[in-house]
Amino acid sequence: MTDNAVLMVDGQTIELPIVEGAEGERSIDITALRAQTGLTSYDPGLVNTSICKSAITYIDGDKGVLRYRGIPVEQFTVQPQPNFVEVVWLLIFGNLPSREELKIFRDMLTSHELLHEDVKDQFQHIPADAPPMAILSATLNHLACVYRKYLVVDDPERLLEVIASLISQVRTIAAFSYRRSKGLPFIYPNPNLRYCANFLHMMFSSPYQQYIISPEVEDALNLIFILHADHEQNCSTTTVRAVGSARANLFASCAAGVSALWGPLHGGANVEVVEMLERIHKGGLSPAQCIRDARDKNNPFRLSGFGHRIYRNFDPRAKILKQACDRVLQITGQRDPLLDIAFELEELALNDDYFIERKLYPNVDFYSGILLRTIGIPTNMFTVCFAIGRLPGWIAHWKEQNEEQGGRIIRPRQVYVGNNLSSYVPMEDR
Ligand code: SDX
């Protein structure tokens, strides 16, 4: 294979170096393209564009491979299941934490789990039916108002403190927004509980009765957070990088990530999937009609939870979540008709030429909502749970970019297709 690409344009021939990644993937380095040719590249949706080099997550979409710092995601799902907090440390700091590192980090998560009282008080002024993702994004930015010392992170000690605050308090914010929406009193975090158990406690305990946390529910939530922890340059992570590239603080960058994740084409899809399955269950739609509508170019309907920009094979996370749904339902003795409908829909799609031709498979959102529902998380909190899981990935990419020598602000070009030179016309002449 060649080390350079040759471009011939306007009678000029230039060579563009090819960069090769750790797994042999290759990319044409066009950093000199405009200087040498006056031309830019055109790539809507950045389908063909690598915007950075990163050592955090590797995905092979053709083979359905997903690795965190080189470790296949499947290895985080076997018993005894690693804890989400270990994966947080691995993604952000690049190594599996030692016993000592994990204890220090866990203690910091505990000491930073309480919301500032001013932040807590804001909930009283938010409508009870406000979208939880709007609350989460706004509250992450509110943290910037009360933790001014964290706006400029100039040393590793302070960075660890702000990371611990975000990772710990994102749960408290999420749980308080749920309690507010139900008109229930806030349940403060319990310093004796592990990460996921504490979130479930804040969501479902009452002042006079602690929520009984079953191990399989705690494990299922731990699995969900781990599987959502990072996914290289997805829309929300690239958003965090773009905001962070302007040297914006970590609160503002993650708040922007929450906003991007909210979209139904991205993290909001897990809500759309369950709402689609519920419509089918109530008889308003049939699985066969879903497939027909999804194929119909004149119909805006898309089969939520299907398709992916990178996976042209099964999303490995979907496979794991599908098995987890079955397992948790069996252990808890529940049956969920939506799971049976999901299985039927998947079977129809995987045998339909429209989906086969386009290599559309179930993605992480197709089963995550069903598992969240199985463990009692309400539908409007699904994408918030996705955000809790993805927060370490956003932080890891923000940190990796900030540590890059000579990092530049992300500012792409465009192809202008508007008016050519025009003149202002005074009102009396219009
Ligand atoms: C996540 O990027 C990430 O890594 C995201 C994520 C992460 O962990 O961060 O994995 C999480 O966001 C998963 C995706 C969740 N979204 C959905 O499930 C929404 C439904 N899916 C689609 O909207 C779509 O598949 C996307 C948004 C996921 C991907 O969009 P692309 O890469 O721009 O693909 P495309 O729109 O160009 O589709 C290619 C073709 C088109 O048909 P043609 O024009 O070639 O005829 O496939 C069709 C699309 O119409 N298609 C679908 C479809 N997804 C793609 N048709 C029907 N139903 C679908 N779900």
Side-chain angles (χ1 to χ4, degrees), residues 16-38:
L16 296 166
I18 289 177
V19 291
E20 185 163 326
E23 291 293 328
E25 74 281 20
R26 302 166 77 227
S27 188
I28 300 174
D29 177 345
I30 60 168
T31 46
L33 177 67
R34 192 160 178 279
Q36 290 184 341
T37 67

Side-chain angles (χ1 to χ4, degrees), residues 147-284:
Y147 298 134
R148 301 287 179 79
K149 66 176 179 177
Y150 290 148
L151 294 186
V152 176
V153 172
D154 40 19
D155 66 68
E157 188 61 34
R158 178 158 293 185
L159 179 62
L160 187 55
E161 282 177 30
V162 70
I163 289 170
S165 297
L166 272 166
I167 295 291
S168 192
Q169 292 179 32
V170 70
R171 295 172 296 177
T172 317
I173 296 166
F176 280 20
S177 69
Y178 170 68
R179 303 289 292 187
R180 169 87 179 100
S181 73
K182 294 292 180 190
L184 295 171
F186 292 151
I187 300 297
Y188 278 65
N190 175 339
N192 302 314
L193 293 175
R194 306 275 288 260
Y195 192 87
C196 295
N198 215 346
F199 175 59
L200 292 165
H201 158 67
M202 289 189 276
M203 285 282 288
F204 302 125
S205 286
S206 62
Y208 46 85
Q209 189 169 18
Q210 172 123 351
Y211 170 71
I212 308 298
I213 298 159
S214 67
E216 50 275 352
V217 168
E218 186 180 355
D219 281 351
L221 188 61
N222 187 61
L223 176 68
I224 288 167
F225 286 160
I226 287 175
L227 292 178
H228 285 80
D230 191 51
H231 214 241
E232 59 134 278
Q233 298 310 315
N234 58 86
C235 178
S236 54
T237 300
T238 298
T239 301
V240 170
R241 277 185 172 262
V243 174
S245 75
R247 293 284 178 261
N249 63 75
L250 193 48
F251 300 113
S253 303
C254 293
V258 170
S259 300
L261 188 71
W262 192 358
L265 292 187
H266 191 11
N270 52 23
V271 177
E272 306 273 318
V273 168
V274 166
E275 289 175 351
M276 171 180 69
L277 296 175
E278 280 174 334
R279 274 180 61 202
I280 295 171
H281 181 50
K282 288 175 186 154

Side-chain angles (χ1 to χ4, degrees), residues 358-378:
R358 292 164 180 81
K359 298 186 178 179
L360 303 176
Y361 290 87
N363 60 49
V364 67
D365 289 294
F366 192 64
Y367 287 104
S368 61
I370 298 173
L371 188 54
L372 285 164
R373 179 182 140 97
T374 302
I375 63 176
I377 303 288

Side-chain angles (χ1 to χ4, degrees), residues 416-422:
Y416 174 69
V417 292
N419 294 338
N420 294 113
L421 182 62
S422 312

